[in-house]
Amino acid sequence: MNIIKSAEKCKQDFELDYNATAEQREKANEEIRFAVVAGGQWEGYLADEYENRAKLEVDMCSEHLWRTYADWTDNRMGVNYSPDDDATTDEDAELLDGLLRRDMRRRSGQDSIDTAVMEAIAGGYGAVILNTEYVDEDDPNNLHQNIAISEAPNAYSMVVFDSGARRKDKSDARRCTVLTPYTKEVFEETWPDANLSTLKPVDQGQSRGRGQFSWHTNQIVYVGTRYEIEKKRTLVATYYSVRDAEMVHLHGKEEIEQEEPMLLASGYVKTRERYIKQRQVIKTVFTGDEILEKPARIAGKYIPVIPFYGYRGFVDGVEYFHGVIRKRMDSQRLLNMSISLAAEGAAHSHEGKPIFTPEQVSGLKGAWAENMHQSAYALADPVYNEDGTIQHLGPVGQIPGSTLAPAAASLIQMTSEFIRMGTGGSPQDIADPNASGKAINAIIKRVDKNTQPIFDNIRGSLKHLGNVYQSMAAEVYGGKENFGRIVQLVNNKDATTPVKLLTPRPEGSSVKYLNNAAEGSFEAIVDVSKEYSTQREEGVEALKDVLTVMPPEHPLFNDTLGEVIQLLPHQGLGALQKKIRKQQLAEGAEPESEEEEKIVEQLSQVQGQKSPNDLLMEAAAMEQQTQAAMNEQKIEGMKYENLKKLEESKKVQVETALLQVELKKETANGQANTLAAR
């Protein structure tokens, strides 16, 4: 496949892809404006019909949008890597996990994903872009790069994939163009050699017809970044060492000519040689009829643009997508129209008026001209017959006041109920005090199932993001320029650990490089990953429940209590938490930061260079001894209590005997005194 270098060809491909889904892009923009922009629910065909009239918005749809987005923020999904073959270790997967978390935190990658998810929920389509950037743009000798996860706002109109792609993650797309709008001044500063005279300016408000795209308006210049897949036919040679039981692959004739003599001299045997189709990504920057940056290969083997869909499907070979609002826009418009008409009627309403004959109000016109609401009563003369009898009392007729038509009232009720059934309504609408718990749960589950396809699509997009990141990381963090590079990995508790990439370790006659992101086969797994603060709170509650059923003499009671204290917020507990953590490290806990590694080294030095495993065994032995001592103390305590009770019993017996002796003496003395008196 040849690299396309013609700006005209790039433009033609872009317009072909753009026009294939132009209608969906326009509707996505309308849907987002409907939910987010004030007055957006009256845009379109209703704007002219209701000009200079009451246009109220009784919004019952956008709440469903924000509630669905809140479900995402409460239960964000994250990417974790798992070894996909026997040669890949858990340590290799942890390295890739740590690099991804590092890049997510370093450039607010989670915010970019949140933006894409929000646009997917609101309009049906969002996207993120993975780029590479130099660590130090000003240092020409520093070749180290990082991966940046960037947002693509307004992706529904700015990110255009190959119209022939069918998979929802677009992994089968041949090309993708990302539009970036620039002001004329910024464009000229960025590309001073570009010639805007080849572009015909179009007024900002002029609509774009199908089959053409306005690259240059009076104020904005659009620049397209084209990513294209190229499949290059490459020669691959395979070598095997019987002594080391290791297989090596060399790609390309140039690499084979350079590395083959050294491998053969080391005892490797060439086993096979064949051609493969190697994927690579070509990036081109263009605008209108001009190439701004020549085609160049970038890291990875996938297009680094990840689409996020809301609801998606194919009809008659055409892709359709929408968010949570679009199917309820007509109902919302109808509700707004009905309530606006009712408001207009209320603003111009009048009360019913009685009809009298002239003689009935003769002399009472002044009283009726006043505000009758403030009068305690109203007067009117009767109508008399010719013979003087009363013909009629009260008004002879009535002019009815303004009332809301029954059809309009029914329409408001039916429309409100329809929207509420589809969106779930507000929490107070769901939690009917007269409904049973099962009924409420059924309503909540029904609403959750409505949005479940969206989260399934998000899961698929994040899995593809993990695959794209892994293919880029193999080059960005696994290239030769990264020998000895130190990066800060981030674990699942947001703690950082320094790691040296591509650390050599001799193995027989060959050298194996540790922390090599270019080696290994991985599977990207997407799971719900809550914020660490939320995980910590849930962990505290779970451990507290465990402590309630665990007796204090249990060997794990103190460890569990220490873990609870570790997970508590730091206010006033810093010293205690440090002491407990130091004790855990002394007992063999894995260090989670550079500072803890230093603590482990100090403990090893103090305790005769003992390893954490030795410390763990000693701690277990000490724990057994402590438990045995406690048992002995219990036994001795029981013996002591028994002896004490025996002694007290004997003491009581002795005291009783002494009392009896004293009584006998007193009796004898009394008798003797009696005889002496006689």
Side-chain angles (χ1 to χ4, degrees), residues 80 215 269 303 366 390 406 420 440 542 553 557 604 609 614 650:
N80 293 295
W215 293 90
V269 178
I303 293 175
I390 297 176
R420 187 178 294 109
I440 294 174
E553 61 271 13
F557 183 85
S604 299
Q609 303 294 335
D614 295 334
K650 290 181 178 179

Side-chain angles (χ1 to χ4, degrees), residues 636-652:
E636 293 296 329
M638 292 175 63
K639 290 180 179 179
Y640 173 77
E641 291 293 333
N642 292 334
L643 290 173
K644 187 176 179 181
K645 290 180 180 179
L646 181 61
E647 290 176 359
E648 289 179 353
S649 175
K650 290 181 178 179
K651 184 178 179 181
V652 170

Side-chain angles (χ1 to χ4, degrees), residues 52 55 178 205 209 282 341 372 377 535 570 590 627 648:
N52 298 325
K55 291 184 285 189
V178 179
I282 307 301
L341 289 174
M372 298 303 297
Y377 57 88
Q535 295 179 12
H570 292 287
E590 284 290 332
Q627 189 67 31
E648 289 179 353

Side-chain angles (χ1 to χ4, degrees), residues 276-511:
I276 64 171
K277 287 186 177 181
Q278 193 173 18
R279 290 168 59 103
Q280 60 183 12
V281 184
I282 307 301
K283 176 183 175 181
T284 307
V285 180
F286 69 101
T287 181
D289 297 326
E290 187 173 5
I291 296 290
L292 300 176
E293 295 180 11
K294 294 181 179 180
R297 183 185 178 276
I298 62 174
K301 59 181 181 179
Y302 300 103
I303 293 175
V305 183
I306 316 299
F308 286 73
Y309 282 95
Y311 299 102
R312 173 183 178 271
F314 271 86
V315 180
D316 297 331
V318 179
E319 183 181 60
Y320 289 87
F321 53 82
H322 65 87
V324 298
I325 302 296
R326 192 176 306 177
K327 296 298 184 180
R328 298 173 180 85
M329 288 170 59
D330 287 341
S331 302
Q332 181 64 62
R333 288 190 179 108
L334 184 57
L335 178 63
N336 291 341
M337 291 166 54
S338 301
I339 293 181
S340 297
L341 289 174
E344 285 184 343
H348 299 88
S349 65
H350 58 274
E351 297 179 349
K353 296 180 181 180
I355 302 175
F356 293 102
T357 62
E359 59 267 26
Q360 285 183 285
V361 293
S362 177
L364 300 174
K365 295 180 180 179
W368 281 96
E370 297 175 357
N371 189 354
M372 298 303 297
H373 293 288
Q374 298 179 358
S375 301
Y377 57 88
L379 299 175
D381 294 330
V383 179
Y384 294 97
N385 294 316
E386 293 181 358
D387 58 359
T389 59
I390 297 176
Q391 178 183 0
H392 182 77
L393 288 174
V396 297
Q398 185 80 17
I399 300 177
S402 300
T403 58
L404 181 64
S410 300
L411 188 61
I412 293 175
Q413 182 178 359
M414 289 188 298
T415 307
S416 302
E417 184 64 24
F418 175 79
I419 297 175
R420 187 178 294 109
M421 288 179 61
T423 61
S426 57
Q428 60 268 24
D429 294 332
I430 294 177
D432 182 1
N434 297 321
S436 65
K438 292 183 178 180
I440 294 174
N441 289 333
I443 295 173
I444 295 174
K445 288 182 179 180
R446 184 192 67 204
V447 176
D448 289 343
K449 287 183 179 180
N450 289 343
T451 57
Q452 188 60 42
I454 296 178
F455 293 106
D456 285 342
N457 290 337
I458 293 172
R459 185 186 299 273
S461 297
L462 288 175
K463 184 177 180 66
H464 184 53
L465 184 148
N467 294 332
V468 174
Y469 181 89
Q470 189 269 328
S471 69
M472 296 178 68
E475 299 185 40
V476 175
Y477 301 114
K480 296 180 180 179
E481 63 276 1
N482 289 290
F483 282 110
R485 176 184 176 183
I486 297 177
V487 296
Q488 297 287 339
L489 299 185
V490 180
N491 63 16
N492 57 357
K493 295 184 178 180
D494 290 337
T496 58
T497 304
V499 169
K500 183 181 290 187
L501 300 178
L502 296 172
T503 305
R505 185 179 70 183
E507 289 188 357
S509 60
S510 61
V511 177

Side-chain angles (χ1 to χ4, degrees), residues 98-108 129-137 142-150 298-300 304 468-469 472-479 481-482 485-489 499 501:
L99 289 172
L100 176 57
R101 295 191 194 101
R102 166 185 178 269
D103 288 329
M104 288 281 287
R105 190 173 73 172
R106 186 180 56 83
R107 285 293 302 272
S108 301
I129 304 173
L130 277 66
N131 295 314
T132 58
E133 57 186 17
Y134 284 100
V135 173
D136 189 353
E137 295 282 353
N142 190 345
L143 300 179
H144 294 164
Q145 296 186 67
N146 291 319
I147 299 175
I149 301 174
S150 307
I298 62 174
V468 174
Y469 181 89
M472 296 178 68
E475 299 185 40
V476 175
Y477 301 114
E481 63 276 1
N482 289 290
R485 176 184 176 183
I486 297 177
V487 296
Q488 297 287 339
L489 299 185
V499 169
L501 300 178

Side-chain angles (χ1 to χ4, degrees), residues 79-91:
V79 179
N80 293 295
Y81 293 97
S82 176
D84 202 28
D85 58 19
D86 295 336
T88 306
T89 64
D90 291 336
E91 288 75 16

